[in-house]
Amino acid sequence: MSSTGDRDLEPRGGDGADSDQPALEVSALRKAYGDTVALSDVDLTVDHGEFVTVVGPSGCGKSTLLRVLTGLEERFEGRAEIDGSDVREGGSDDVGMVFQEPRLLPWATVRENVAVGLDGPDDGRVDDLVSQVGLEGFGDTRPDELSGGMAQRVSLARGLAYEPELLLLDEPFSALDALTKYEQQDFLLEVWNRLEPTVLLVTHDVEEAAYLGDRVVVLGDQPGTVERVIDVAVDRPRERTADGLVPVRESITDALGV
Amino acid sequence: MATVRKRALRRPELDLDRFRWLLGLVVPAILVVLWHVLVTVGVFAPHQLPGPLTVATTLYSMAVAGELTGHVAITLQRVAAGILLGVSVGILFGAVTGLYGLAHDLLDPLFQSTKNIPSLAWVPLFLLWFGIGEGAKVTLIALGAFFPVYLNFSTGIKEVDRDLLEVAEVYDIGRLESLRRVVVPAALPSLLVGIRGGVGLAWMFVVAAELIAASQGIGFLLSDGRVMSRPDVIVGSILLFAFFGNLSDLAVKGVQRRVVDW
Ligand SMILES: Nc1ncnc2c1ncn2[C@@H]1O[C@H](COP(=O)(O)OP(=O)(O)OP(=O)(O)O)[C@@H](O)[C@H]1O
Ligand SMILES: [Mg+2]
């Protein structure tokens, strides 16, 4: 299933973006772990600056898709290209990933963890991010003293500090309470507006998928493949309660077969 | 309010913890008293086991005569040099085999099988190779210190959390930086465990070296005590080994606690 869609998407084109290449192009992707086929026949094209959310049942291959795109999975069939070059050809500087688990360096402070991808002075960027993910005053804390949700926000801040052109997020808000989750979602949108990266965000949360995405990709189960792609034609900034989001949520739920 | 109460609750607990280590002295103290009583009562003949006071007096008079300092100093010197050498070589080979699969496959089987050779078995060969000089002894001690350091550091590096290495890769930290910021800190706890084991073994090996081929050192005192039928010197030397062995272990433990504080 092609997911380019025919709608008129204004390319937001980040600075280094290659003019006519899509930010991200996956075709006929198949990834198996031994006998387990995690992904099969996955096609997906994402334009520069687009915000795409991915939903699907647990174990359908969402994390696997992101891993393929980061270049961490060397062996797969089909094509996976970022800005027109194969993900296997050397790590791209322009891809950042917020993993499903926080994966913080246990010996490093919150600030050092956030700054992991940066070389050289950060012009206060790190401190800004630490406070904007709600961890002001925890800059010198070690990860073992953080709660699960706090660790997840450090991991989010680390991804944002890197300022990649393609930002992959694997359920970045899953450990947060509802209110903190809303705050962090809006913070992510704010960063997206400011830096205009291309975003691919995996989530279990139907409401989140609809609220954040320009498009929602619904993955099906066993093996994971693109079930449906739903455009979210609701103007930004959006209200969480916007009428336009209701049918989107319904389509997602429908596609998930709930 | 809440914090005040928490603190009040915590206080006594903390104070108790501070003196907890004293508990470890209770049983040894009882044993020393028991030892003294048994010798005085005559359960042990003084020419086999002298009383604690006799041992203390012997050590004291040797110290006053300036005899002890030389023996202790030379042993400490050997142990320190052996540890320095053994730990350095252990770190080197541990790093190389931990980082490169090929080096591991080539070298690890050799080290794994030689580590089980008892220390004493090496002594004749080392005497033959290096003579009875300091070189032989330091090398023997270094050999003892080497294995735990090598084994632990190598495994520590190989077992660095893959998840964290992936983070380093995704965030393009670069090979050298990821060594410095991820691999080394992750393997540091294992390295320190290895160094602690290595220091322990260095003391074992120094006894082996000094018992057989030395004219100075605590180990020499031991064997000299046997030749001269001086059980007080023997027991005194054992206590000296116990004291310095524990001291060095405490030192490494202190470093360990300070460095691995996450
Ligand atoms: N390293 C691996 N080795 C073997 N099988 C794996 C591996 N990683 C993932 N899989 C399998 O691939 C499938 C997809 O896994 P993946 O982690 O991508 O799911 P997911 O959609 O992210 O699930 P969740 O929503 O629970 O995070 C699963 O069946 C899983 O068992
Ligand atoms: Mg997942």
Side-chain angles (χ1 to χ4, degrees):
Chain A
M1 175 166 188
S2 162
S3 41
T4 326
D6 51 4
R7 77 203 176 84
D8 193 8
L9 188 107
E10 274 287 303
R12 301 154 56 101
D15 20 41
D18 239 324
S19 47
D20 26 316
Q21 298 284 5
L24 167 63
E25 188 164 25
V26 169
S27 64
L29 174 66
R30 184 189 141 89
K31 168 72 195 169
Y33 295 101
D35 289 338
T36 318
V37 181
L39 292 168
S40 175
D41 288 321
V42 174
D43 297 304
L44 178 67
T45 306
V46 179
D47 285 317
H48 287 281
E50 206 182 354
F51 197 134
V52 173
T53 53
V54 179
V55 286
S58 184
C60 72
K62 303 181 297 295
S63 297
T64 305
L65 176 63
L66 295 197
R67 290 179 58 82
V68 165
L69 293 172
T70 52
L72 289 173
E73 296 290 344
E74 300 265 297
R75 281 188 296 170
F76 57 84
E77 291 155 52
R79 275 191 323 138
E81 293 177 352
I82 288 169
D83 261 339
S85 56
D86 194 298
V87 293
R88 283 165 292 198
E89 283 166 12
S92 164
D93 282 8
D94 303 332
V95 183
M97 163 97 144
V98 175
F99 291 90
Q100 189 164 0
E101 322 77 36
R103 300 197 184 191
L104 305 178
L105 303 176
W107 48 84
T109 62
V110 164
R111 194 179 285 113
E112 288 163 349
N113 266 293
V114 172
V116 135
L118 311 176
D119 28 32
D122 62 74
D123 322 320
R125 192 200 292 179
V126 170
D127 284 326
D128 276 356
L129 278 165
V130 168
S131 69
Q132 281 188 286
V133 296
L135 293 175
E136 187 137 38
F138 287 92
D140 294 318
T141 307
R142 290 262 171 77
D144 64 342
E145 288 169 40
L146 301 176
S147 72
M150 290 160 92
Q152 192 172 40
R153 280 177 279 155
V154 176
S155 167
L156 174 66
R158 175 174 67 189
L160 296 176
Y162 193 51
E163 300 192 346
E165 275 175 39
L166 173 60
L167 179 60
L168 308 169
L169 303 126
D170 200 345
E171 304 188 27
F173 310 120
S174 60
L176 307 183
D177 65 89
L179 189 64
T180 314
K181 182 190 288 201
Y182 288 167
E183 282 168 10
Q184 294 306 310
Q185 287 169 346
D186 289 329
F187 173 51
L188 175 62
L189 287 176
E190 184 193 313
V191 173
W192 176 62
N193 273 319
R194 182 157 44 88
L195 303 173
E196 310 189 329
T198 309
V199 177
L200 196 61
L201 177 141
V202 165
T203 176
H204 273 140
D205 183 339
V206 172
E207 196 192 334
E208 176 174 291
Y211 176 65
L212 293 177
D214 293 321
R215 278 188 296 151
V216 182
V217 176
V218 183
L219 291 186
D221 213 351
Q222 300 290 301
T225 187
V226 178
E227 199 75 42
R228 196 181 302 178
V229 178
I230 300 153
D231 283 349
V232 187
V234 179
D235 290 339
R236 298 180 191 268
R238 296 169 178 170
E239 291 292 326
R240 285 173 198 282
T241 49
D243 288 340
L245 291 176
V246 178
V248 175
R249 288 200 289 266
E250 274 167 7
S251 316
I252 300 170
T253 323
D254 195 44
L256 284 170
V258 183
Chain B
M1 185 64 207
T3 53
V4 170
R5 218 177 350 148
K6 218 170 171 181
R7 224 177 256 165
L9 276 175
R10 259 195 202 160
R11 259 275 157 68
E13 195 181 17
L14 247 172
D15 279 351
L16 265 185
D17 274 354
R18 193 170 320 149
F19 296 108
R20 216 180 173 97
W21 63 275
L22 284 171
L23 285 179
L25 296 180
V26 172
V27 176
I30 292 175
L31 285 178
V32 169
V33 171
L34 202 65
W35 171 17
H36 177 73
V37 171
L38 289 179
V39 174
T40 336
V41 169
V43 175
F44 295 112
H47 71 275
Q48 280 184 325
L49 184 64
L53 291 177
T54 321
V55 173
T57 317
T58 306
L59 283 181
Y60 179 72
S61 55
M62 283 172 83
V64 171
E67 207 181 327
L68 204 54
T69 337
H71 290 300
V72 168
I74 192 91
T75 296
L76 289 181
Q77 228 171 71
R78 286 168 185 153
V79 169
I83 288 173
L84 198 69
L85 184 64
V87 169
S88 315
V89 179
I91 288 177
L92 183 75
F93 279 98
V96 171
T97 53
L99 291 173
Y100 303 101
L102 180 65
H104 176 264
D105 293 348
L106 284 173
L107 295 170
D108 194 61
L110 171 72
F111 291 142
Q112 289 289 349
S113 45
T114 39
K115 75 160 195 276
N116 293 316
I117 298 173
S119 48
L120 283 171
W122 290 107
V123 174
L125 193 63
F126 275 55
L127 288 180
L128 199 65
W129 285 352
F130 306 105
I132 46 172
E134 286 306 297
K137 295 185 198 76
V138 169
T139 315
L140 190 70
I141 296 163
L143 189 72
F146 166 79
F147 284 107
V149 174
Y150 161 75
L151 293 171
N152 282 284
F153 196 40
S154 181
T155 334
I157 291 179
K158 270 202 306 293
E159 285 174 0
V160 174
D161 192 349
R162 277 198 51 84
D163 284 1
L164 297 184
L165 293 178
E166 287 187 354
V167 169
E169 198 177 324
V170 167
Y171 287 97
D172 271 304
I173 290 177
R175 177 134 178 93
L176 212 66
E177 274 295 286
S178 109
L179 269 185
R180 192 173 73 77
R181 287 198 279 170
V182 182
V183 178
V184 170
L188 206 56
S190 315
L191 174 63
L192 283 158
V193 168
I195 290 179
R196 230 179 129 188
V199 168
L201 278 181
W203 284 101
M204 304 252 277
F205 277 62
V206 79
V207 178
E210 290 184 345
L211 270 181
I212 288 167
S215 51
Q216 251 192 321
I218 307 177
F220 165 77
L221 271 185
L222 259 181
S223 67
D224 197 42
R226 195 190 62 82
V227 173
M228 315 268 285
S229 294
R230 289 282 303 274
D232 52 336
V233 174
I234 297 181
V235 175
S237 313
I238 293 176
L239 289 180
L240 283 176
F241 273 126
F243 175 73
F244 287 112
N246 274 307
L247 205 63
S248 57
D249 190 54
L250 278 178
V252 183
K253 217 160 113 184
V255 173
Q256 210 172 11
R257 203 160 334 133
R258 186 161 284 223
V259 174
V260 185
D261 59 349
W262 58 85

